[in-house]
Amino acid sequence: EAQVTQNPRYLITVTGKKLTVTCSQNMNHEYMSWYRQDPGLGLRQIYYSMNVEVTDKGDVPEGYKVSRKEKRNFPLILESPSPNQTSLYFCASSLTQGPNQPQHFGDGTRLSIL
Amino acid sequence: DAKTTQPNSMESNEEEPVHLPCNHSTISGTDYIHWYRQLPSQGPEYVIHGLTSNVNNRMASLAIAEDRKSSTLILHRATLRDAAVYYCILRDVTGSNAGNMLTFGGGTRLMVKP
């Protein structure tokens, strides 16, 4: 089954403790992206990647890192999490970057930073 | 991306067709019209997209006005599982959206009554 898989689905942690949210897709998609969703603010893009070893900042990249060492995986790293990073995170992928390409989303990761 | 306007909410009866409108009067010639939906506690889900002609897929139909300033998502027989927030989005990766970011507005909350 074609899917985007995120782990963990839920995480409660403390300020400053490094964490990684994994994202994997099995559709051989070139393009992958991370969003956060907050009430009243909609979806905001954190980072995106057009292909292996190619990543770039989205609208809200501060406090986050990403890597794209292989096509299927696009982990989101919070080196020193802070409470303002408490949010619902979604990973998405599409075949290419093109505007006619549907984006496929994971089920989300709810992070709480205390 | 150009702005879209949708009603905040709509109600439908189960098994009946639903027509969800979207206005996009400032659409440009290269903007694709996409529809996504988000069910409670899930990631956004691609529904359908089109450029100029009407489109059908297994989930829905998309009717695009001749001047492209509006479109309508048609669910042919609403089920309880179709209760979600539906987002109409215009997508063009030229200019400022090199990151292929999806910008969701408020969307239309569809309620389906048994």
Side-chain angles (χ1 to χ4, degrees):
Chain A
E1 182 191 346
Q3 59 187 3
V4 177
T5 304
Q6 296 179 225
N7 279 297
R9 291 292 313 280
Y10 304 91
L11 179 63
I12 302 174
T13 187
V14 296
T15 299
K17 186 176 180 183
K18 180 180 178 180
L19 67 92
T20 299
V21 184
T22 63
C23 174
S24 179
Q25 50 91 7
N26 62 359
M27 297 169 279
N28 202 35
H29 284 174
E30 290 185 354
Y31 175 89
M32 296 185 75
S33 177
W34 276 102
Y35 294 89
R36 59 179 288 175
Q37 187 174 39
D38 302 288
L41 296 176
L43 276 181
R44 293 181 291 169
Q45 191 182 53
I46 303 170
Y47 269 93
Y48 64 94
S49 169
M50 295 199 199
N51 215 324
V52 176
E53 301 292 2
V54 180
T55 63
D56 211 339
K57 296 177 181 178
D59 272 2
V60 288
E62 294 76 22
Y64 304 94
K65 283 174 57 175
V66 293
S67 69
R68 187 91 183 273
K69 292 183 169 46
E70 42 186 356
K71 204 172 197 178
R72 63 182 296 127
N73 296 323
F74 189 44
L76 179 70
I77 303 153
L78 285 71
E79 294 268 6
S80 182
S82 63
N84 65 10
Q85 293 177 298
T86 293
S87 186
L88 180 57
Y89 291 84
F90 291 106
C91 179
S93 74
S94 60
L95 188 61
T96 66
Q97 185 206 6
N100 61 340
Q101 294 295 323
Q103 289 194 23
H104 302 260
F105 284 80
D107 284 334
T109 296
R110 188 168 291 280
L111 285 185
S112 294
I113 316 293
L114 305 176
Chain B
D1 292 330
K3 185 178 165 57
T4 63
T5 305
Q6 300 176 252
N8 287 338
S9 63
M10 290 183 67
E11 254 187 25
S12 170
N13 293 317
E14 201 176 8
E15 305 286 316
E16 291 184 356
V18 181
H19 290 231
L20 296 163
C22 180
N23 286 320
H24 28 78
S25 58
T26 59
I27 191 170
S28 74
T30 52
D31 283 333
Y32 282 81
I33 301 161
H34 284 248
W35 283 82
Y36 285 76
R37 70 181 185 180
Q38 189 168 16
L39 280 66
S41 303
Q42 293 190 26
E45 177 184 27
Y46 165 79
V47 178
I48 200 166
H49 77 278
L51 185 62
T52 56
S53 305
N54 295 344
V55 184
N56 300 299
N57 67 19
R58 63 174 179 81
M59 288 180 72
S61 295
L62 176 60
I64 301 173
E66 200 168 328
D67 63 5
R68 299 209 327 127
K69 293 184 186 300
S70 66
S71 61
T72 302
L73 178 71
I74 302 164
L75 306 179
H76 296 285
R77 288 177 68 220
T79 69
L80 296 179
R81 287 196 70 252
D82 291 322
V85 180
Y86 287 78
Y87 298 98
C88 169
I89 303 162
L90 303 183
R91 295 187 57 202
D92 183 351
V93 292
T94 61
S96 62
N97 194 15
N100 198 23
M101 176 177 64
L102 293 182
T103 302
F104 287 9
T108 297
R109 183 172 297 278
L110 175 66
M111 292 166 279
V112 180
K113 295 184 290 185

